[in-house]
Every structure is written in C-alpha cells, then in structure tokens.
Amino acid sequence: MSHIAELIAVGTELLLGSISNTDGQMLSQGLSALGINVYYHTVVGDNPQRLKAAIELAKTRSDIIITTGGLGPTCDDLTKNVLAECFGKKLIRDEESARRIEAYFKALGRSVTENNYQQAMLPEGCTILANDWGTAPGVAFEAGSIHVVMLPGPPRECRAMFEHRAVPYLKQLADGEILSRSLRLFGIGESAVEQLLREEMNAMTNPTLAPYANEGEVELRITAKADTQAEAQSLIAPVEQQLKDRLGPLVYGADVPSLESVVLEKLKAKGLTFGCAESCTGGLIAKRMTDLPGASAAFRGGVVSYATQVKHTVLGVPEDLLEQFGAVSDPVARAMAQGARKVLGCDLAVSATGVAGPDPDERGNPVGLIFVALSAPDGTWVRELQAGGIRERSRTVAANHAFDLVRRYLDGLPLKAT
Amino acid sequence: MSHIAELIAVGTELLLGSISNTDGQMLSQGLSALGINVYYHTVVGDNPQRLKAAIELAKTRSDIIITTGGLGPTCDDLTKNVLAECFGKKLIRDEESARRIEAYFKALGRSVTENNYQQAMLPEGCTILANDWGTAPGVAFEAGSIHVVMLPGPPRECRAMFEHRAVPYLKQLADGEILSRSLRLFGIGESAVEQLLREEMNAMTNPTLAPYANEGEVELRITAKADTQAEAQSLIAPVEQQLKDRLGPLVYGADVPSLESVVLEKLKAKGLTFGCAESCTGGLIAKRMTDLPGASAAFRGGVVSYATQVKHTVLGVPEDLLEQFGAVSDPVARAMAQGARKVLGCDLAVSATGVAGPDPDERGNPVGLIFVALSAPDGTWVRELQAGGIRERSRTVAANHAFDLVRRYLDGLPLKAT
C-alpha cells in the first residue's frame, strides 16, 4: 500500500513570517527519499481550535501525519495535547523523559522549572522519540490505520530527530526497502547537471535520479526501491559507477556530509596537517573545519587577516606586494597561503582574499572578485573566482573552492601550477 | 471587520522539498505589516483535484485567499483555471496582457509559442496585476465577500508582484495597522522569561507579548494593532519601557539583528578596534563579525589557535601557563585575549578556549567547559561556562558570551574584575 503523508507545522511565528518553514522542506526531502508521498503541507498558529481542525482534516486524507513545533513549554505543549485529544489518547508521565530533561538542564547549569516537566507527559502507549538535541521528546503513535509523528520545531533539533528517530520508525511502514545514495559534486551548476543528465533522468524509473542544489554545490540522489536492501543496493551500484565514470573528478564523494569532511578524512589518512589564512571569508574556512568533531587531528589553526596590516604583521605578506598589487590579488593570495603554512607550522595551507562587499575595494575591484590559494611543500596554486554580489554566498563559494583545491591536491588531480 | 487570510502555494517541487516555501514567509510578513491576519498556509502539488479541495476549504474559513505558483505555461496555468472554476468565473482573452507577453519574449530574443498566450486568458471582471518581472500576469478578483489574489511562484517575481501590485490592492481592505517591536535578551533562558512574565503575557491583549527562543538567546515580541502606526507605536512604547526597566541589562537591543551587530555599532560609535583569539569556537567569532557588512570599520582580525602550540607561537601564550594549567583554563583564556590584542594591534580582544568535544580533554576537563575572556586597556575579564555537550550549541553559546562581554564593557556595565 502506498502511503500519503501530510506535514502540519504549528507556530504563530510561521504565520507572522518571522521564520520560514524550513522543517517542511527538510522533511519533504527525507520522506521522498523513503518513498513516502507528501501531498500536503499545512501551517497553523498556536491555536488549539485551528490545530484541531487541521488534524481532523488530515485524518480524512492522509495516513501519516507529521507535526513540527508546538512541543516546548512556552506553548504549553499545544501539539501534544491537541493530538492526544484528537486521537483519544490519555497523557501519562514518562519517568525516563523526566530524567532526560533534568540531565539536560543540569548540563546547561540551570535548574528545572515545573513547566519543563510537562514535556514528560506523553500519550499512553506511544513510542518515545528521545531528544538528545533539546528538551522536548518527540512522540510517535498508531491510531487505527493512521501513524502520527510529532517532532520539535527548531530546525536543528527537528533535523536530528527526524534522521535519528523518525526515519527508523517510518522505515517500518515503507512497503519494501528504499535506499538512497547521494553523490556530491563540486565544480558544476545544477542546470548544467540537469542538461547533461536530462535524458537519463527522464528514462529512469527504478532507481530514480534527481539533482538538488545546495550552497553552491550539487547533490545527485539515486533512489532505488526493492524487496530487500541488497536488491536495492544492486540497482544503485551500476548507476553510481556510470555517473562516477561520466562525471570524473566533479564527484567528490558519495554519502558524505560535506567537502570539508572529505578533506579532513583525506588529511588524516595521509597524516598531514592543515591551516588557513582568511580575509574575505573572515573565519568561515576555520569554522567549517572545526564544525567537524575530531578536526584537531589535522587542523592546526588559522589567521583571519581582515585588516591589510594584519596580513603583513601576522602572516608576513611583504608590504611591497600589498602596495603594488593590492590585498585582493593573485600574489597576495599566494603569499597569505605561504605565510600561513610557515606561521602555523602546517603541511598545507589555504587562503582566501576578495571583495565581500557591499562596495568595490579602493582599487575598484568589483564585489565578488576572490582569489583562493593552496600552498603545499611542492608548490602554490591560485584560483580566481567571480562569486557574485551576495555577501554570504560569495563567502561560501570561496570556502568551497579552498576546500576543493585541497581535495584535488590530495587526490593527485591536476592543479594549474603557478 | 477583521480579515482572515490564507496562503495557498501550488507546486509539486515544494512537496518534494526541492525548494522551500519562501513566498509564504515573505507574504506573511507583508500581510502582517498590513494588519491582515494570516491563519493558514497550505501547500498542494500540481494537482487540480487537491488544489480544488484546498480552495473549497479556504472559502469556508478565510476571506482573503492568496495563491502563489501554478501560473506559468509549464503547469498549464493550473491555478488560474482551478480558481476560475471554483468561483464560477469565465476566462476571456485580455489583449493588453497578450501584448505584454509578446513584448517580454521579444526582449529576450525569443518567439512566442501558442501556450504562452494561454497566460493572457483571464477571469472576467478581474483586476489584472501586470507583471513587469516575468510573463504570467497576476490576477485579483472579488467573489461575494471573498477576495482572491493570484501571484507567480518564483520568489523574485512573487516579491515584486506582491509589493508593487498586491499591496496597493489589499490596502483598501485593511482595517488598521499592526506594529511589532522585538526586544533581544541575553543571559536568561526562554522558560525563565516565560515564568517571569507569564502573568503579564496572559493578561495582555493589545499589545500582545510573546517570547521566542533562538540560538541560546530569547526574543520578546510586542505586537500592537491600531488605526494608525502612531497609535500602535503609543501602545507599544510604555510596555517596551516597562520591560526594559524590569529586565535591565538582560536586554541588549530592540529591533536589532544580533548581539554581534550591536557590538559592531558600539565599537564604531566609540572608534575602537576589535579582534579575537579562538580555540574551541574555531573561527565562529570572526565569522559572525565578518557576516556583517562594514565589519572592517572595527574588526582587525583573529587567530584561530586550535593546536596548543599555535597558542604559544602566534599568540605568545607562555609555555609554562599551558603546561601548568592546560589549554582550557582561566589563565590561558586571559593570555590568549591579551596576546590577540597585541598581535592584532586592536583596542579590545576576546578569546574562547574550551572542550568542544566529542571527548573530554587530556586533563579530564568535561565536554562543554569553556572559558571566554575580554582584554581591554584597563583590564582583562574571564567568564567560565558550562555550555553542555552539543558541539554546535556550545560553540554558539561561547561566541554569544564573548560578544556579551564586549557589549557589557562598552556599556560600562559591571564585569567581574580579575
């Protein structure tokens, strides 16, 4: 039987436009990867009557109802109370959840207030989705032919709870096994991928192939449905190989979280250390490296040389280079990367210098012009980019290219020698 | 009469999670500013039956229905056809729209295809919302007591069409003005705010008061409704003052985007420069400063001293301090901040050193133990935190505290001298 899922997001802040319903997008992608069709998204405010009406409607047209939000103490656990009522479930105190809440607040050095304990009142007979990323536990239960899953609203919590708690629960409902494999690409845009693979994508039914654009990168998702995981895997494998052959070094990994995680693994495998010198990216490269647990095995540190003088005093970029070519230039990017290697005492160092905006620099270099460099024992390589006028995006793109230089170097792929 | 608006977004790509419903957020903000209450968002796919059902439901509960998407030739003008049917309107060809479509394609150097002309078929008696940002014209009509507005889906088009075409149309319907003011708090949790202000919040009707938790901070939103902006403002002002008196230095700003933006403005106002030395935050403090356009006016740079040796070689932290107390300690946090001031040549510098996890450090310091410090010409101050075991959160909390130290210093608020 094919399931129909409906997402119900609860929160007046969504209706006021204070926040966007990013949970809806994340869950839609995830459910789609599980082979579960999503037919409706609904957003209602923190209002019991309207939430109740939305649930009653959902019961008539969907057999998987997933709610987000309305679980914290500030909304009096609205969602849980209304859902319990709609499905005739009693709420009873779960001691394990109460202990988790105590432990969470203790770890934050705060004391538990009485309303925090309300979160431990859960529908009888439900499956508790333990929340290791916040305080409100998630809940799943079955009522007749309908499956209900309640997740917390904050996007970070919602994503972790979905991936680690809801997916294993929902997988039992899928008829057959769905397996996805995600190829991560760097160095090609979504429309180019689309154009390149349009025929294959249209012709394929199992597995299917779909591209997703994400932060200046493209993800290609291969999804197969079969009776067993092994069968699904054997449907995916040849398509994966074919795509890798066709796309070559554009593919930087399969089922990997990010470019920097691939770089970190490769550095660790080769026992090499890494550092960075950042101007326009302003700490983003270092931040992304240190977002990864275990980064300290390879990452020694970075210098954010935002002011021109710091490029000279800390990184040792010669003053005449800065004067002759300006801070945003090929020679300065090169000298920054070389300086970082020396100052930080690491095997490889990258640099980024560019015009993040809002205005062109004093030499008239346009917003979005960026140089990234990699310095290694056997040479230094520079890439010049035009990353466009949106500050956040141009910084992300610059960091991506810096990591891509390292990835290609470590894979022995050709880099323009300079 | 108070209006109830409902947003209906049409597009299978929303249900697959390929794109996020950013139109919904943009329209919610815009309608809220017009004093129009939005009670529901609904998303349906490119499916006439389900769209029809959504419209029939909306007719029973809302008197302003705004659709986004489903207007272009790729979806056969699904939305327009279904809406016309639901409200019993005939479609007739609008010559002016046909001419605009021709002109648009001519400007792109393309020829008009027959299905492009379908977009010029419009419900009889409607108000045409001319589209200067794309091809599909928007449509508004009245049917009994219900107002219908159809807008194109692509976010850039949708925003322009809303601001320049829909707002003037909707303004005629608005009964009064809505004004919001957002107080930003640091140093108190959401449930504590809730407990502190629960009585006031429950007693207030206009303005209303609601707390929102966000990345370790709390936002308190005061929202008033009145005939004019000035009246709404006069309802908000005394509540705002009362809250500021009551919460004191916990309030760091009103209608400001972030703690770091407040810090940057204060630094610029005093003509002071700023820098940082980061270990556990790994570049996050520098990254958040440089997320702000114009940061270069005050921010000189930072050192990410992730490896212990870099704390000594680049920041000049004495080796015996590192040996005696370990990298995660009060004396090392202090020496890092002092070193950053000197190395970067700035007036104020902050530092953060802690155990980001996943494991305790080699001295057995627990995950989440963090020291942040501020060094200024007249002293150095250190805060010890227990930020919990979630890596991303503990880093965010550490950066928040670093910025809070600077904010309090610049405001002349008491800091524990050490």
Side-chain angles (χ1 to χ4, degrees):
Chain A
M1 191 196 88
S2 195
H3 292 284
I4 294 177
E6 169 154 7
L7 307 183
I8 300 181
V10 184
T12 303
E13 66 276 22
L14 290 160
L15 296 178
L16 289 169
S18 309
I19 57 172
S20 177
N21 186 16
T22 51
D23 292 342
Q25 182 180 18
M26 184 273 296
L27 294 174
S28 289
Q29 285 185 5
L31 291 165
S32 172
L34 287 174
I36 295 172
N37 296 314
V38 178
Y39 276 8
Y40 311 92
H41 294 182
T42 304
V43 179
V44 291
D46 299 325
N47 177 293
Q49 285 74 41
R50 289 195 283 275
L51 175 56
K52 198 174 167 200
I55 300 295
E56 293 299 340
L57 174 64
K59 282 162 78 170
T60 67
R61 62 187 187 184
S62 306
D63 66 337
I64 296 177
I65 301 174
I66 301 183
T67 67
T68 51
L71 285 184
T74 43
C75 58
D76 295 322
D77 279 305
L78 170 71
T79 303
K80 199 177 58 193
N81 292 324
V82 169
L83 271 279
E85 189 193 333
C86 286
F87 288 93
K89 301 265 180 193
K90 246 189 7 212
L91 293 174
I92 51 181
R93 175 166 164 138
D94 176 64
E95 291 307 325
E96 170 61 22
S97 295
R99 270 193 301 276
R100 273 178 177 268
I101 289 164
E102 277 164 17
Y104 181 85
F105 277 89
K106 207 175 155 193
L108 291 180
R110 298 207 229 131
S111 53
V112 190
T113 61
E114 203 38 56
N115 59 7
N116 293 132
Y117 283 113
Q118 281 186 27
Q119 297 180 44
M121 298 294 293
L122 299 172
E124 53 179 346
C126 71
T127 302
I128 296 163
L129 308 176
N131 187 347
D132 287 329
W133 305 270
T135 62
V139 174
F141 63 74
E142 227 181 298
S145 61
I146 297 177
H147 296 266
V148 175
V149 177
M150 293 177 240
L151 299 173
R156 197 183 52 82
E157 267 181 68
C158 186
R159 177 184 290 273
M161 288 285 286
F162 177 70
E163 286 174 1
H164 300 285
R165 302 287 182 262
V167 166
Y169 179 85
L170 292 167
K171 269 201 169 159
Q172 307 162 24
L173 313 180
D175 46 336
E177 296 283 340
I178 298 245
L179 200 66
S180 260
R181 184 95 171 141
S182 158
L183 297 189
R184 303 285 293 249
L185 277 59
F186 187 77
I188 186 169
E190 191 193 13
S191 22
V193 172
E194 179 105 28
Q195 205 132 348
L196 194 67
L197 303 174
R198 183 180 295 254
E199 268 179 47
E200 285 94 322
M201 291 195 293
N202 288 343
M204 286 166 73
T205 53
N206 190 21
T208 58
L209 184 62
Y212 297 89
N214 180 26
E215 295 276 315
E217 301 181 18
V218 177
E219 184 186 339
L220 261 180
R221 198 176 302 146
I222 314 165
T223 305
K225 199 165 179 169
D227 287 339
T228 64
Q229 288 270 322
E231 275 177 66
Q233 178 51 40
S234 70
L235 288 169
I236 287 175
V239 176
E240 180 180 345
Q241 194 50 55
Q242 211 180 325
L243 287 167
K244 281 181 171 168
D245 291 345
R246 180 136 174 215
L247 298 166
L250 292 172
V251 178
Y252 70 78
D255 285 348
V256 291
S258 62
L259 202 42
E260 56 269 30
S261 70
V262 168
V263 165
L264 179 60
E265 289 315 311
K266 287 185 200 293
L267 288 166
K268 280 159 68 176
K270 301 207 172 192
L272 295 173
T273 58
F274 176 66
C276 54
E278 307 187 57
S279 188
C280 61
T281 48
L284 179 62
I285 295 172
K287 189 250 173 204
R288 280 173 55 177
M289 271 310 278
T290 59
D291 279 343
L292 305 170
S296 57
F299 185 63
R300 290 189 54 84
V303 173
V304 181
S305 54
Y306 215 57
T308 299
Q309 212 192 335
V310 174
K311 295 179 180 64
H312 171 62
T313 55
V314 182
L315 290 169
V317 176
E319 279 182 312
D320 58 347
L321 272 192
L322 290 163
E323 266 163 43
Q324 195 183 340
F325 299 100
V328 179
S329 62
D330 177 304
V332 167
R334 181 185 315 272
M336 284 172 64
Q338 290 163 344
R341 265 191 79 218
K342 206 161 136 190
V343 168
L344 300 166
C346 49
D347 299 310
L348 306 178
V350 293
S351 69
T353 179
V355 188
D359 302 308
D361 73 0
E362 67 287 351
R363 295 194 177 227
N365 286 317
V367 175
L369 176 70
I370 294 172
F371 294 88
V372 296
L374 163 69
S375 178
D378 54 334
T380 300
W381 295 267
V382 182
R383 254 188 218 172
E384 179 178 340
L385 319 169
Q386 178 40 258
I390 303 162
R391 186 181 182 86
E392 197 186 324
R393 193 184 153 85
S394 71
R395 283 155 50 100
T396 298
V397 167
N400 287 347
H401 277 277
F403 288 123
D404 189 53
L405 277 176
V406 185
R407 191 260 303 187
R408 285 175 178 260
Y409 177 82
L410 293 172
D411 279 352
L413 292 166
L415 289 162
K416 188 184 54 139
T418 56
Chain B
M1 191 198 88
S2 194
H3 292 286
I4 294 177
E6 170 155 6
L7 308 183
I8 299 179
V10 183
T12 302
E13 66 277 22
L14 291 160
L15 297 179
L16 289 171
S18 310
I19 58 171
S20 177
N21 186 14
T22 51
D23 292 342
Q25 181 179 20
M26 184 274 296
L27 293 173
S28 287
Q29 286 180 0
L31 290 165
S32 173
L34 287 174
I36 294 172
N37 297 312
V38 178
Y39 277 7
Y40 311 93
H41 294 180
T42 304
V43 179
V44 291
D46 299 326
N47 177 294
Q49 285 73 40
R50 288 195 283 274
L51 174 56
K52 198 174 169 202
I55 300 294
E56 293 300 340
L57 174 64
K59 282 164 76 171
T60 67
R61 61 186 188 184
S62 306
D63 66 336
I64 297 177
I65 299 173
I66 301 183
T67 67
T68 51
L71 284 185
T74 44
C75 59
D76 295 322
D77 278 307
L78 170 71
T79 303
K80 198 178 61 192
N81 292 325
V82 169
L83 271 279
E85 188 192 334
C86 286
F87 288 93
K89 301 266 181 193
K90 248 192 1 216
L91 293 173
I92 50 178
R93 175 168 163 134
D94 176 64
E95 291 307 326
E96 170 62 20
S97 295
R99 270 194 301 277
R100 272 178 178 269
I101 289 164
E102 279 164 17
Y104 181 86
F105 278 90
K106 207 175 154 190
L108 291 181
R110 296 203 237 133
S111 55
V112 192
T113 60
E114 203 39 54
N115 62 4
N116 293 133
Y117 283 115
Q118 281 186 26
Q119 297 180 45
M121 298 295 292
L122 298 172
E124 53 180 345
C126 72
T127 302
I128 296 163
L129 308 176
N131 187 348
D132 287 331
W133 304 271
T135 61
V139 173
F141 63 74
E142 228 180 295
S145 60
I146 297 177
H147 297 266
V148 175
V149 177
M150 292 177 243
L151 298 173
R156 197 183 52 85
E157 267 183 68
C158 185
R159 177 183 291 274
M161 288 287 285
F162 177 70
E163 287 173 2
H164 299 286
R165 302 287 183 262
V167 167
Y169 178 85
L170 293 167
K171 265 204 169 152
Q172 308 160 24
L173 314 179
D175 51 333
E177 301 277 346
I178 295 227
L179 202 65
S180 260
R181 183 98 169 139
S182 157
L183 297 189
R184 303 286 293 248
L185 276 60
F186 187 78
I188 186 169
E190 190 192 12
S191 349
V193 171
E194 174 91 22
Q195 205 129 352
L196 194 69
L197 301 175
R198 185 180 286 257
E199 268 180 46
E200 284 93 323
M201 291 195 293
N202 289 342
M204 286 166 72
T205 52
N206 190 21
T208 58
L209 185 61
Y212 298 91
N214 180 24
E215 294 279 313
E217 303 181 17
V218 177
E219 182 186 342
L220 263 179
R221 195 174 308 138
I222 315 165
T223 306
K225 194 163 184 170
D227 286 340
T228 64
Q229 288 270 320
E231 273 177 67
Q233 177 50 41
S234 70
L235 288 169
I236 287 175
V239 175
E240 178 179 347
Q241 193 52 54
Q242 213 180 319
L243 287 167
K244 282 181 170 168
D245 292 345
R246 181 139 172 214
L247 298 167
L250 291 173
V251 179
Y252 71 77
D255 285 346
V256 291
S258 64
L259 201 42
E260 55 269 30
S261 71
V262 168
V263 164
L264 179 60
E265 288 316 310
K266 287 186 201 291
L267 287 166
K268 280 158 69 176
K270 300 207 172 193
L272 295 174
T273 57
F274 176 67
C276 54
E278 307 188 56
S279 187
C280 61
T281 48
L284 180 61
I285 296 173
K287 188 253 173 200
R288 281 174 55 176
M289 271 311 277
T290 59
D291 279 343
L292 305 169
S296 57
F299 184 64
R300 290 188 55 84
V303 174
V304 180
S305 54
Y306 215 57
T308 299
Q309 212 193 337
V310 174
K311 294 179 180 65
H312 170 62
T313 54
V314 182
L315 291 170
V317 176
E319 280 182 311
D320 58 346
L321 272 191
L322 290 163
E323 268 163 43
Q324 195 183 342
F325 299 100
V328 179
S329 63
D330 177 305
V332 167
R334 181 186 314 273
M336 284 172 66
Q338 289 164 345
R341 264 190 79 219
K342 207 162 135 188
V343 169
L344 300 165
C346 49
D347 299 310
L348 306 178
V350 293
S351 69
T353 179
V355 189
D359 302 309
D361 73 0
E362 67 287 352
R363 296 195 175 226
N365 287 316
V367 175
L369 175 70
I370 293 172
F371 295 88
V372 296
L374 163 70
S375 177
D378 54 335
T380 301
W381 294 267
V382 182
R383 253 188 219 173
E384 180 179 339
L385 318 170
Q386 177 39 259
I390 303 159
R391 186 181 182 88
E392 195 185 326
R393 191 184 153 89
S394 71
R395 283 154 52 99
T396 299
V397 167
N400 287 347
H401 276 278
F403 288 124
D404 189 55
L405 277 175
V406 185
R407 190 260 305 189
R408 285 176 179 259
Y409 176 83
L410 293 172
D411 279 351
L413 292 166
L415 289 164
K416 188 183 57 135
T418 55

